Amino acid sequence: MLAAITGCAALTALTLAYGTWAAIPYGAVPAVVSATLLLWTVACWPRSRARLARPLALAGGLSLLTTTFSAPPSAPWGSVWRLAEMAVLLMLLAVVARWAPRRQAVTAGVVAGAAVVTWTLPLIPAPSVLPLAGAAAFWALPVLGAAVVGGYPRLVEHRRLRLVIETRRSQQLELARDLHDFVAHDISGIVAQAQAARFVAASDPGQALPALERIERAGLNALASMDRTVRMLHEANGNGITRPAAPDAPDAPDVPEPPAALTPQEAPAPQEAPTPKAPTPKAPTPKGPPPEVTPRPEPLPGVDQLPALIERFTAAGATEARLAMPPATPGTLSRETSSTAYRMVVEALTNVRRHAPGAARVEVTLTPAVRNPATHPAPALKIEIQVVNDAGAAPATALRTRRPRDGHGGRGLNALRERVQATGGTLSYGPYEGGWRVLAVFPQTRTLPQETT
């Protein structure tokens, strides 16, 4: 409102100063309009920056009409009003390129840019193609500069927001994979135990109590997996940068500097011995939390925890799982490869529990990859991990309840394939001798000792 009142007052003052509308100098009206628009932008900032595109397009259109239909001035300094107008239009164009909505910014930029490019064309004495093109090209440079000044920060901001979105998306996918790999395995064990307890409760109520204990252990494992995932999300902000400094804090009270400083100076004073002991028990109390913080960067489970996993799987249902793994295998895999191998076995066992509840046996084997010694005499730095389950014969009492997927699910093996390939390995799966097999080949950091192979 203030800008509109100011613009009307300026136009009225021009009319009164020059007597008639026709006597107003060349380009004074669009210059006053542009200056009024600039005043409104400054007065209403920052609300005006997103709504400036349409007023700028109108100001540019008025400038184009002045260039097309107004007679050029005859005086040497008759175009000073237009020169000031172009300076204001360029400033507004930079603001629009930075803050206005994209479509509106393009429209306003085209109109205002055309007004700046063509304003000198009527002033050329002997117009021809070459001078007109040269004048238009010369004034196109400041238009391009204004677009770059406003558009480059906008591009940087857009890329930053896009990077943030992609980072959040990758974190969400990582979280979904962790929930699928670990929590789903424990939840499926809880479901299997609950189903087994449901069938044996009627015939043998005494078996329900061990089943409830196994359900409790599986629930605790699921809670631990959830806790590990939540801690991973918390660690994503700090990336563990401040964590390593925490273990140094408890070591400070253990330095025996106070007694050493007192004994050479005042040896016969036995009363001063309790004084250095007073702060010693007090020092760990305010620094107690750091020892609780340091265990947070808990590493993900690896192949060294496969025996416990196989034991829990066997105890949770009727399917017996067996593990064949050389004892030195965990030392031949990197941390990432070991964690991925563990995830692969968890996914395979979870699929057995879900899709083959009647399977009688599951074999999990870790063996060195074998290749032709004639063509490759050196040992292969790879290890094969396969999980094979038989078809089995599902008893009539087996309950095989499938939860509705609602378009989700079935992504575990595909996501696992991507994770295995990221470590430099391969993953294959399919029917095998009437059952199902999941086979993965992982790279090793070193070969297994000869006695273990």
Side-chain angles (χ1 to χ4, degrees), residues 157-172:
E157 182 70 13
H158 173 73
R159 290 180 176 177
R160 187 188 68 82
L161 293 178
R162 185 174 180 180
L163 180 61
V164 170
I165 293 175
E166 291 177 354
T167 304
R168 289 178 178 175
R169 177 60 178 169
S170 63
Q171 292 177 350
Q172 291 173 354

Side-chain angles (χ1 to χ4, degrees), residues 29 104 112 119 145 152 196 199 277 326 344 393 404 430 445:
V29 174
Q104 298 180 12
W119 82 274
Y152 181 74
F199 282 103
K277 294 181 180 179
M344 172 256 183
T445 56

Side-chain angles (χ1 to χ4, degrees), residues 116-255:
V116 175
V117 169
T118 60
W119 82 274
T120 58
L121 300 185
L123 305 178
I124 298 178
S128 61
V129 176
L130 187 59
L132 293 176
F138 176 80
W139 282 98
L141 294 179
V143 174
L144 180 61
V148 170
V149 168
Y152 181 74
R154 181 177 189 149
L155 179 61
V156 172
E157 182 70 13
H158 173 73
R159 290 180 176 177
R160 187 188 68 82
L161 293 178
R162 185 174 180 180
L163 180 61
V164 170
I165 293 175
E166 291 177 354
T167 304
R168 289 178 178 175
R169 177 60 178 169
S170 63
Q171 292 177 350
Q172 291 173 354
L173 291 177
E174 187 69 19
L175 175 61
R177 289 167 183 167
D178 287 340
L179 292 176
H180 181 276
D181 292 343
F182 298 112
V183 179
H185 173 76
D186 296 321
I187 295 299
S188 61
I190 293 174
V191 173
Q193 289 293 333
Q195 292 172 349
R198 176 182 174 185
F199 282 103
V200 302
S203 57
D204 190 1
Q207 295 295 327
L209 182 59
L212 292 177
E213 294 176 351
R214 290 190 292 267
I215 290 175
E216 180 184 7
R217 287 195 298 269
L220 292 176
N221 291 331
L223 289 176
S225 300
M226 288 289 294
D227 186 49
R228 181 172 57 247
T229 303
V230 172
R231 284 202 303 266
M232 180 192 69
L233 293 178
H234 284 291
E235 293 294 331
N237 290 331
N239 293 324
I241 296 177
T242 58
R243 305 285 184 202
D248 298 338
D251 296 339
D254 299 334
V255 179

Side-chain angles (χ1 to χ4, degrees), residues 108 318 363:
E363 299 288 343

Side-chain angles (χ1 to χ4, degrees), residues 346-386:
V346 169
E347 175 66 21
L349 294 179
T350 303
N351 289 338
V352 170
R353 184 173 286 155
R354 283 182 174 180
H355 308 299
R361 184 180 296 106
V362 179
E363 299 288 343
V364 180
T365 58
L366 288 80
T367 56
V370 180
R371 57 184 181 182
N372 190 357
T375 57
H376 299 85
L381 282 174
K382 293 184 178 181
I383 188 170
E384 291 183 353
I385 304 178
Q386 66 174 353

